[in-house]
Amino acid sequence: MDTMKCLFNFSLSIAIFMLSLRVMSTSIQAVLGARLRRLLTLLTYNPLISVVTGAFVTATIQSSSAVAALMVALVNAGVLNLKQAFGVILGANIGTTITAQLAAWDMSRLIVPTMLCGLFLLPGSKKHKYTGACLIGLGGLFFGLYWLKLSLLPILEKELIRHLLVDLSENVYLAVLVGIGVTAVVQSSSAVTSVIIILGHIGAIPLMGAIGIALGSNIGTVGTTLISSLGMSKEARATAYADLMFNVLGVLLVLPIIKYFTLLVSLTSPYLPQQIANAHTLFNVFTAFVALLLIDPLTRAVCWIAGIK
């Protein structure tokens, strides 16, 4: 009975977190509307600007999956070319790390004032209504993280869970596979990285194991992009393949030097939760920079995979 209660509380906290994230994303997209498409169309005239645009837009709407799926749609419609979309996807991976940085801090004191501000704005104009919904979503996000922390404490008393976390800390490749599998199911790398940051808050997972899961979460979240490209043009499918290739190659690039990467991350902060968040950000910034330098050959590679001459 206790186990069922623990699992229920954990599942509910994850559901609140993901629903709040969706409310934030939907509200901001509703405010931006067609301006979001125009912004992505105008500010993608070179790869570097595309990366910056992708990072900014994703940091705003907090959904790299939504941005990547939008890129697939825009390429399919002929609004953007593959290289432009690829640059935005690189930036999207950077922008989504904002949630991890929020999870590294204790935001529980902001739950009530943030949600009250949102409720106050709801009866106003259409723009105020969406802003209020966004603030309520943000407050829900903080609440979900707080409840997640409380729900994990009793779960971690289970011997099986402790053994699993020990195995993850000793085998980073297993940690990556777990990150891929869990994220493929929940389709939210933000939720997965937030869980491991909360585990860091309560000292339940070492840094290397947490980094391994975070690396895997980057690959697992590509499922949404691949599904969104089904039945579309070769160029649109190539955009989805670019998202997958970038994340897989990024993980393969870092894994051989994971010990040195972990050491570097450990120097960024004395606090484990902040180290995990910083690792997620550093990884995505580093791999985006490398991919930006190689964007032409990578674009040609995904074109070949998609059967584009």
Side-chain angles (χ1 to χ4, degrees), residues 51-265:
V51 171
V52 174
T53 303
F56 173 76
V57 170
T58 310
T60 303
I61 69 172
Q62 273 309 292
S63 177
S64 59
S65 297
V67 172
L70 179 58
M71 289 302 98
V72 170
L74 291 178
V75 170
N76 187 66
V79 177
L80 297 179
N81 62 42
L82 176 57
K83 190 173 178 180
Q84 289 173 304
F86 197 0
V88 173
I89 288 172
L90 297 182
N93 278 38
I94 298 173
T96 195
T97 63
I98 296 297
T99 306
Q101 294 294 336
L102 287 175
W105 296 91
D106 183 7
M107 298 290 189
S108 57
R109 295 179 182 177
L110 299 177
I111 294 172
V112 174
T114 304
M115 297 188 83
L116 284 176
C117 287
L119 288 170
F120 178 76
L121 290 171
L122 276 182
S125 64
K126 190 175 182 180
K127 186 175 181 180
H128 286 160
K129 185 181 295 185
Y130 286 127
T131 305
C134 181
L135 287 173
I136 292 173
L138 182 60
L141 191 74
F142 296 153
F143 178 65
L145 289 171
Y146 176 69
W147 197 350
L148 182 62
K149 182 177 180 179
L150 295 180
S151 66
L152 280 172
L153 287 170
I155 291 176
L156 293 171
E157 294 176 0
K158 308 298 180 183
E159 187 175 354
L160 177 64
I161 300 298
R162 288 202 301 268
H163 284 313
L164 176 61
L165 290 173
V166 169
D167 290 339
L168 292 179
S169 64
E170 293 176 349
N171 189 337
V172 70
Y173 296 96
L174 176 62
V176 171
L177 291 176
V178 168
I180 294 172
V182 174
T183 311
V185 172
V186 303
Q187 274 306 300
S188 174
S189 59
S190 296
V192 174
T193 51
S194 296
V195 169
I196 59 175
I197 287 170
I198 297 299
L199 289 172
H201 270 294
I202 56 184
I205 190 170
L207 180 57
M208 187 176 291
I211 290 175
I213 297 175
L215 294 180
S217 73
N218 279 43
I219 299 175
T221 195
V222 179
T224 303
T225 316
L226 293 172
I227 292 171
S228 69
S229 70
L230 295 177
M232 292 195 175
S233 66
K234 289 182 178 180
E235 289 75 11
R237 294 200 301 273
T239 305
Y241 299 155
D243 191 17
L244 177 63
M245 176 185 285
F246 161 62
N247 285 291
V248 170
L249 290 180
V251 171
L252 293 177
L253 181 66
V254 171
L255 275 179
I257 57 169
I258 189 68
K259 291 183 179 179
Y260 303 104
F261 181 68
T262 304
L263 177 61
L264 172 65
V265 168

Side-chain angles (χ1 to χ4, degrees), residues 25-41 57 60-61 70 74 126 130:
S25 177
T26 305
S27 301
I28 295 172
Q29 288 184 65
V31 171
L32 293 176
R35 284 173 290 184
L36 178 60
R37 286 191 174 221
R38 287 200 298 270
L39 177 69
L40 290 169
T41 305
V57 170
T60 303
I61 69 172
L70 179 58
L74 291 178
K126 190 175 182 180
Y130 286 127

Side-chain angles (χ1 to χ4, degrees), residues 38-55:
R38 287 200 298 270
L39 177 69
L40 290 169
T41 305
L42 291 172
L43 298 182
T44 52
Y45 52 87
N46 74 44
L48 179 59
I49 299 299
S50 297
V51 171
V52 174
T53 303

Side-chain angles (χ1 to χ4, degrees), residues 1-13:
M1 189 66 182
D2 287 340
T3 302
M4 292 300 296
K5 184 179 179 181
C6 291
L7 290 175
F8 175 77
N9 287 334
F10 174 74
S11 301
L12 192 57
S13 64

